[in-house]
Amino acid sequence: MSGAGHHLGLLLLAEAVLCAAATRFQDVLSHGSTSPVTSYKKLQGWSSDQNKWNEKLYPFWEEGNPRWKDCWKGGRVTAKMDSDSPALVGSNVTFVVTLQFPKCQTEDNDGNIVYSRNCTRDPPASMDQQAYVYNWTEWIDNCGWENCTSNHSHNVFPDGRPFPHHPGWRRRNFVYVFHTFGQYYQTTGRSSAKFSVNTANITLGEHGMAVSIYRRGHSGFVPIARAKTVYSVTDKIPVSVTMSQKHDRNISDSIFIKDSPITFDVKIHDPSYYLNNSAISYKWNFGDGSGLFVASGSSTSHTYTLQGNFTLNLTVQAIIPVPCKPVTPTAPPPTSAVTTGQSSDSDSSPTVESVEDNPDGGCHIYRNGYYGSSIDVVEGILEVNIIQMTSIQMTESQAENSLVDFVVTCQGSLPTDVCTVVSDPTCQVSKSMVCDPIVVTDECLLTIRRAFEEPGTYCINITLGDDTSQALASALISVNGGTSSGTTEGVFIFLGLLAVFATIGAFFLYKRYKQYKPIERSAEQTEKQEGFTAYFSTFKAIFFPNSTERNPLLKSKPGIV
C-alpha cells in the first residue's frame, strides 16, 4: 500500500507540474511579460486570461523568432488597430483591426490572397491564370471539412471553443484574439475585424488593447501579426467646439473681430449613440461680463463688443435615463474588485440617482463635459462699398483695352491688401485675378484701376483685407470697347453695390504675393448711386483663378492703386 500510495503521489505531483506549466492566454497575449493576478469586473462576452492556451494548435513565437519572416509568402504582414475612444463610461468603444499585406497582394471575394495582375513584374501568360498566395477556398472545398480527420482541430479557438457557424464562416481564414483588462475575446474574420466593448465595467483612465492574428494552416494556425493600441474611458462627456465668423481671415488662430457675431458649434463625441435618449443642455460663459447663457441646442452665436482677451467656458450636461435599481438596499458582497489604487470617484460604476417624482417613474444619471478656450477680439474690416465706377478715356494706341476706375471705401480697421477678381456674368467662372499690398494711413478711401481686354459683361469683386479679416463688394458691369469720352460712357451698371461679404468656414487670402482665393458673399442692404441705376440680388461668387493679368492695377496716377 505504501508503494501504491507513493506511486499515486508521484502521479498527482506530475499532473500538478503539468498544470502549472500549461500555457495560459496571459502568457501568450502579454508577449512574455507577467503581472500579478488581479480581480477585474467581468466584461460581457470576455473570458479570463488565466484559461489554458492550445499552443500546439496556435503556436506562440517571441518577437525575435526567425519563423516570423517565413510565416507569410511574399513578405511580412502588418496589422493596424484603431479605436474610437475616448469613450464615456457606460457607452461602447469600438476597435477596428486591418491587415496590411505585402505589395501586390489583395484579398478576393472568396477570402483568398492573390497577386494582382497589373502589379507583378511577370504577369501570368494567360489571363485565366492567377497566382494565388493562399488558396484557402480550394483547400477547404477539397477537404470538405466534414471529411477531414483533423476537422475538430481546425474549427476551434485557442481555448477549444468551436468557431461560430454564421454565414460565410468557412471563408474567414484569420483568427483574432484580443486582450485587455486581464481578459480575452476571440473571433474569426477576413482581412479586417471590428468589435465593440461596453465600458460599464471598465475603470476610468487609459488602458491597452492588444491583438494577435493567426492564419489557417494545413496542420494548425500560424501567427502572422500583432498590434496594440491605447484607449481611454472617462466620466466626462468628450466635447469639442468649432468657432467661425463671417469676416475672419483665419479661423484657426483664435483671433476674432469685434462687433461681428461668432458662431459656436458644439460636437459631442458619442460614436455609439449612448446619449441619444438623453436630455442635453449647454451652459455658456463668454467671459465678457455678459453673464451665463443656457441653450438646448448645440449651436449658438455671440458678439463681442469690446476688444481684448476673453476666456470662453462651456459646460455640457446630459441627463441619461437608466433602469432603476432595487429600492431595498442589498448587503455588499464579501469581496470587491481591485481597482489598482484608483480613488472612489474614478470607479467605473456610475452613481445612479433616482428621480422619485418623475412622471414616468424613471431614474437617471448625470454626466458633464467641459470646454474652455482663450480668444482674442480685435478691430477688423466689417464692410466694403464701391461708391463710384468710371470709364477712362484712352488714346487710339490704347484702344485694345478698356480701363475702369473703382472708388472703394470700407468700415472698421484700415486694409493692408486688395484683391480684384473678374469673372463671367454668372459670377461662377473666373477670368482673371490680381492681389496687391496697399498702404492706407488716414481713411479707407482708394481708387482701383482695372483693365479689360475685351468688351462685354463682367462680374467683379473687390476684397480688402488685413492680417485678421477681410470683406468685399461686388458688381456686375458692361464694358464697351474702343475709345470713349466722359466719365460714364462705356460702363453700364446692371448690378451695383453689394453689402458686406460673408465668409463662413476657413478661408485664406494671400499674404504678400501669395495666391488669392476669393470667397462667397450674400446680399444685404442696398443703396442708390449717383450716375447709374443699381439692382440688388443674392448669388454665389466662388472664384477659381484660371488666368492672371500681369499688370491690371495701374499706379501711374497719384491716388490710384
Side-chain angles (χ1 to χ4, degrees):
M1 292 296 294
S2 61
H6 178 71
H7 182 66
L8 179 61
L10 290 176
L11 290 178
L12 293 176
L13 178 61
E15 182 178 356
V17 171
L18 290 176
C19 291
T23 303
R24 300 171 301 171
F25 274 78
Q26 183 190 47
D27 301 328
V28 176
L29 300 179
S30 61
H31 297 177
S33 62
T34 58
S35 59
V37 177
T38 307
S39 177
Y40 297 105
K41 295 181 180 179
K42 180 173 174 55
L43 304 179
Q44 185 176 2
W46 289 60
S47 304
S48 171
D49 62 6
Q50 301 304 310
N51 291 346
K52 294 180 181 179
W53 174 284
N54 187 344
E55 192 174 4
K56 183 177 180 180
L57 187 62
Y58 290 85
F60 168 69
W61 300 338
E62 295 289 347
E63 190 59 36
N65 195 308
R67 287 178 289 182
W68 280 108
K69 298 181 180 180
D70 302 324
C71 67
W72 190 269
K73 186 183 300 183
R76 183 73 183 267
V77 177
T78 59
K80 180 181 180 183
M81 179 163 57
D82 298 306
S83 76
D84 59 6
S85 77
L88 182 63
V89 61
S91 68
N92 291 341
V93 56
T94 300
F95 298 87
V96 177
V97 182
T98 304
L99 295 179
Q100 298 174 341
F101 301 112
K103 185 180 180 182
C104 305
Q105 296 185 18
T106 57
E107 183 183 43
D108 66 9
N109 293 332
D110 290 328
N112 299 312
I113 308 300
V114 299
Y115 279 115
S116 174
R117 288 193 184 101
N118 298 330
C119 184
T120 56
R121 292 184 176 180
D122 299 321
S126 172
M127 293 301 291
D128 296 333
Q129 296 178 3
Q130 282 194 345
Y132 283 89
V133 181
Y134 295 98
N135 191 351
W136 286 296
T137 303
E138 182 180 353
W139 171 44
I140 294 173
D141 292 343
N142 291 341
C143 178
W145 284 96
E146 286 77 10
N147 300 324
C148 292
T149 57
S150 59
N151 176 35
H152 63 283
S153 66
H154 279 81
N155 283 307
V156 296
F157 288 111
D159 61 358
R161 297 181 188 179
F163 290 163
H165 289 190
H166 44 68
W169 69 276
R170 289 187 177 91
R171 305 299 188 238
R172 298 190 175 192
N173 299 302
F174 299 98
V175 175
Y176 297 82
V177 186
F178 299 90
H179 185 230
T180 188
F181 233 69
Q183 298 167 69
Y184 69 89
Y185 173 82
Q186 50 196 8
T187 184
T188 58
R190 297 182 58 171
S191 59
S192 64
K194 178 180 180 180
F195 78 102
S196 299
V197 182
N198 188 269
T199 61
N201 287 337
I202 299 180
T203 57
L204 304 181
E206 290 189 345
H207 306 284
M209 175 70 72
V211 62
S212 294
I213 304 102
Y214 286 74
R215 68 163 175 86
R216 289 191 188 277
H218 288 278
S219 60
F221 291 85
V222 180
I224 59 170
R226 296 169 179 163
K228 291 182 179 180
T229 191
V230 175
Y231 68 99
S232 62
V233 179
T234 177
D235 59 353
K236 306 295 188 298
I237 301 174
V239 174
S240 63
V241 178
T242 301
M243 293 173 276
S244 60
Q245 192 179 39
K246 284 180 15 177
H247 307 292
D248 189 22
R249 193 166 191 167
N250 183 356
I251 63 173
S252 63
D253 60 3
S254 298
I255 301 177
F256 298 93
I257 305 166
K258 181 174 72 75
D259 296 327
S260 181
I262 305 175
T263 300
F264 302 90
D265 290 309
V266 183
K267 302 295 182 183
I268 295 177
H269 182 72
D270 183 31
S272 65
Y273 307 106
Y274 175 65
L275 301 177
N276 260 18
N277 298 321
S278 304
I280 301 177
S281 60
Y282 305 83
K283 183 188 296 183
W284 296 90
N285 185 342
F286 299 102
D288 59 351
S290 58
L292 297 179
F293 174 70
V294 180
S296 58
S298 60
S299 181
T300 189
S301 63
H302 182 73
T303 301
Y304 287 88
T305 60
L306 299 174
Q307 299 184 53
N309 181 269
F310 302 93
T311 300
L312 169 73
N313 285 294
L314 167 67
T315 300
V316 178
Q317 184 178 79
I319 305 176
I320 308 171
V322 294
C324 292
K325 287 185 176 181
V327 177
T328 56
T330 57
T335 59
S336 60
V338 178
T339 59
T340 64
Q342 292 196 9
S343 59
S344 60
D345 60 350
S346 296
D347 190 272
S348 62
S349 300
T351 302
V352 178
E353 299 183 12
S354 299
V355 183
E356 303 295 343
D357 57 349
N358 249 15
D360 58 359
C363 299
H364 307 89
I365 58 176
Y366 295 82
R367 296 295 182 202
N368 295 324
Y370 305 95
Y371 176 85
S373 178
S374 178
I375 63 176
D376 291 319
V377 178
V378 298
E379 187 80 24
I381 301 174
L382 298 178
E383 185 175 346
V384 175
N385 295 318
I386 302 174
I387 63 174
Q388 184 178 346
M389 290 181 284
T390 307
S391 64
I392 304 302
Q393 183 176 1
M394 296 172 292
T395 64
E396 292 184 1
S397 61
Q398 299 173 324
E400 67 276 7
N401 289 334
S402 297
L403 299 181
V404 179
D405 279 354
F406 298 87
V407 181
V408 179
T409 64
C410 66
Q411 296 182 10
S413 61
L414 297 177
T416 58
D417 52 70
V418 58
C419 288
T420 60
V421 178
V422 175
S423 62
D424 69 334
T426 65
C427 300
Q428 299 296 319
V429 180
S430 175
K431 295 182 176 298
S432 61
M433 176 197 67
V434 69
C435 296
D436 270 340
I438 56 175
V439 177
V440 180
T441 57
D442 189 7
E443 66 175 315
C444 185
L445 177 64
L446 66 154
T447 300
I448 301 171
R449 179 165 294 179
R450 190 68 170 84
F452 297 86
E453 295 181 355
E454 297 178 356
T457 302
Y458 299 93
C459 177
I460 183 170
N461 74 1
I462 299 175
T463 302
L464 301 181
D466 59 14
D467 290 339
T468 59
S469 62
Q470 73 270 310
L472 69 74
S474 300
L476 188 67
I477 68 172
S478 180
V479 177
N480 290 337
T483 61
S484 62
S485 60
T487 60
T488 59
E489 292 180 11
V491 181
F492 300 94
I493 308 302
F494 291 103
L495 180 64
L497 176 67
L498 284 181
V500 182
F501 173 69
T503 306
I504 300 178
F507 179 86
F508 296 94
L509 285 173
Y510 87 107
K511 289 191 182 238
R512 196 170 183 87
Y513 306 114
K514 287 187 179 179
Q515 185 181 23
Y516 166 71
K517 190 175 183 180
I519 48 182
E520 293 187 7
R521 62 186 185 280
S522 62
E524 294 181 358
Q525 298 180 350
T526 63
E527 298 180 5
K528 293 183 179 180
Q529 299 185 33
E530 184 178 355
F532 54 85
T533 305
Y535 301 90
F536 301 89
S537 63
T538 303
F539 60 89
K540 292 183 179 179
I542 303 178
F543 301 97
F544 299 93
N546 53 20
S547 64
T548 303
E549 283 190 277
R550 294 183 178 178
N551 189 21
L553 295 179
L554 306 181
K555 303 180 181 180
S556 59
K557 184 178 179 181
I560 297 179
V561 179

